[in-house]
Amino acid sequence: IEKLHSQSGPGGLHENTFLLVMGDHGQTINGDHGGGSAEEVETSIFAMSFKKPPSSIPSEFDTSYCETDLDQKKTCISSIQQLDFAVTVSALLGVPFPFGSSL
């Protein structure tokens, strides 16, 4: 992240970089991952960009909450459905939506 930040200014190598780290599913403590329990269907995602968003998200669509840490860095956390995620990332990357997904 520090490397990306140091090269993210105008004209920098990572000026337009969008970092996305995610899992496709969770798993139970026993390693099971094919069922429908919360442990199996929920997973984490980390998304980061140093660019300012072009506009704010309308409040009715914003499920995030933000906190400022002791170093005055702002961190925001939100929750999205996986189906919504697939369509959103496809739109961001400019690729066709996954089969069976729609806006």
Side-chain angles (χ1 to χ4, degrees):
I1 291 174
E2 289 176 12
K3 187 70 153 182
L4 292 175
H5 186 257
S6 70
Q7 298 176 358
S8 66
L13 179 63
H14 295 292
E15 177 182 12
N16 296 309
T17 295
F18 175 66
L19 177 63
L20 184 64
V21 180
M22 62 174 285
D24 63 341
H25 58 76
Q27 69 180 40
T28 67
I29 196 159
N30 296 327
D32 297 328
H33 57 82
S37 71
E39 293 173 310
E40 295 166 285
V41 299
E42 294 179 1
T43 187
S44 297
I45 181 172
F46 173 81
M48 185 193 74
S49 173
F50 291 107
K51 294 184 92 169
K52 299 280 187 223
S55 63
S56 62
I57 298 171
S59 60
E60 61 269 17
F61 298 120
D62 188 1
T63 62
S64 65
Y65 67 91
C66 300
E67 296 179 348
T68 303
D69 67 14
L70 296 175
D71 295 326
Q72 300 304 308
K73 290 183 181 176
K74 184 178 177 182
T75 301
C76 299
I77 298 172
S78 64
S79 175
I80 59 173
Q81 296 294 316
Q82 189 171 9
L83 180 65
D84 298 338
F85 171 78
V87 172
T88 301
V89 170
S90 295
L92 289 170
L93 297 175
V95 298
F97 298 151
F99 179 77
S101 297
S102 62
L103 284 175

